[in-house]
């Protein structure tokens, strides 16, 4: 991966919450590089700082120290125009898809908003063709869902709708924070396969955040292991899983149930 363009780099990125005795260092001077077209997993137990790290990369949370670089220059989020430009390139999906949607909008409007964000003037037919194409990318039928409200969909359908929106917005970087934790095992592997397809067809960079080292092994090129705000080990997914160097990584691997649908120790 080192020969590929670096899109995002974190240098000594730090986040401290609270003051005095109540101080928590959620992210502690971490360094990372995410390359174009790469799927990177950030793996750690609950509370290890993964979401805090993701929110700082997104620019939704201000860092206490360190920097985030985007395309080789310090990221600027000062003006409205800066933020608009950055968020066109970098999008996120979170654990609870219901929290990211306006629940009073029907599916058609949720998808139409993505078309409007693109700014192109399209005919009604072209708009509908784009919405259908996005739905079929995630195996949803636009005709069946377009009039429904989010609460009429299952968790798996909602996550797929989130991915349909990403397909339409085609950001350069997608941050997926535990996108499979609220869906059943079957929808889980479908969602992972869709992330792989987004990367393969659009050369998207995907940051996949999970507590499940098995899922990370299944989708990623590179793994970062996070423990108590620190990155304790990083490398190609194969090396990390088949030859872990850090005791915390070994513990995470041992905690995975032995029979795991995405786990293939034989290879
Ligand atoms: N807004 C906040 N205020 C105070 N502490 C927070 C806040 N968000 C997260 N934390 C703390 O930071 C640590 C890391 O949390 P988080 O980034 O959510 O971890 P993860 O996503 O790996 O479960 C935890 O100890 C959590 O309690
Ligand atoms: Mg989290």
């Amino acid at each position: 991966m080192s020969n590929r363009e670096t899109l995002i780099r974190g240098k000594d990125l730090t986040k401290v919450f609270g003051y005095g005795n109540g101080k928590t260092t959620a992210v502690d001077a971490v360094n990372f590089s995410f390359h174009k077209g790469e799927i990177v997993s950030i793996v750690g137990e609950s509370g290890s700082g993964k979401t805090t790290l993701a929110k700082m990369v997104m620019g939704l949370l201000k860092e206490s120290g360190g920097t985030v670089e985007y395309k080789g220059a310090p990221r600027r989020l000062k003006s409205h125009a800066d933020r608009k430009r950055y968020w066109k390139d970098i999008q996120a999906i979170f654990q609870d898809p219901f929290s990211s949607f306006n629940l009073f909008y029907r599916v058609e409007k949720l998808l139409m908003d993505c078309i409007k964000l693109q700014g192109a003037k399209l005919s009604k037919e072209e708009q509908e063709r784009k919405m259908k194409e996005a739905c079929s990318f995630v195996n949803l039928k636009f005709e069946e869902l377009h009039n429904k409200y989010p609460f009429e969909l299952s968790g798996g359908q909602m996550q797929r709708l989130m991915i349909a929106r990403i397909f339409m917005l085609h950001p350069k970087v997608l941050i997926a924070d535990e996108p499979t934790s609220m869906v059943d095992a079957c929808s889980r592997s479908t969602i992972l396969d869709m992330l792989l397809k987004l990367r393969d067809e659009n050369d998207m960079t995907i940051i996949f955040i999970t507590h499940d080292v098995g899922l990370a092994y299944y989708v990623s090129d590179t793994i970062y292991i996070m423990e108590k705000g620190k990155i304790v080990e990083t490398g190609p997914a194969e090396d990390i899983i088949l030859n872990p160097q850090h005791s915390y990584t070994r513990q995470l691997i041992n905690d995975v149930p032995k029979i795991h649908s995405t786990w293939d120790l034989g290879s």
Side-chain angles (χ1 to χ4, degrees), residues 3 7 45 54 89 92 96 136 141 161 210 213 219 237 246 250:
N3 54 345
L7 279 186
E45 288 172 303
D89 284 3
D96 175 9
S136 85
K141 286 206 167 62
L161 194 61
T210 182
V213 78
V219 291
H246 197 280
R250 283 190 218 114

Side-chain angles (χ1 to χ4, degrees), residues 50-51 95 177-178:
K50 306 181 299 296
T51 296
Q95 180 168 2
D177 189 356
E178 311 239 16

Side-chain angles (χ1 to χ4, degrees), residues 205-262:
T205 302
I206 299 179
I207 321 302
F208 177 67
I209 295 176
T210 182
H211 58 271
D212 186 328
V213 78
L215 300 184
Y217 182 50
Y218 180 71
V219 291
S220 44
D221 305 299
T222 306
I223 292 180
Y224 284 82
I225 303 283
M226 236 180 138
E227 182 191 19
K228 297 193 187 112
K230 290 195 163 72
I231 288 167
V232 295
E233 186 165 3
T234 180
E238 294 261 321
D239 295 358
I240 299 286
I241 302 304
L242 302 178
N243 190 19
Q245 298 298 306
H246 197 280
S247 60
Y248 180 71
T249 312
R250 283 190 218 114
Q251 180 201 319
L252 288 175
I253 292 170
N254 287 333
D255 287 348
V256 173
K258 290 291 179 256
I259 302 167
H260 196 294
S261 59
T262 60

Side-chain angles (χ1 to χ4, degrees), residues 30-61:
V30 303
N31 291 284
F32 51 85
S33 306
F34 304 145
H35 305 96
K36 188 166 168 43
E38 179 184 31
I39 301 186
V40 181
S41 287
I42 298 174
V43 188
E45 288 172 303
S46 174
S48 56
K50 306 181 299 296
T51 296
T52 304
L53 174 62
K55 286 187 174 166
M56 285 194 285
V57 171
M58 273 300 288
L60 296 174
L61 199 57

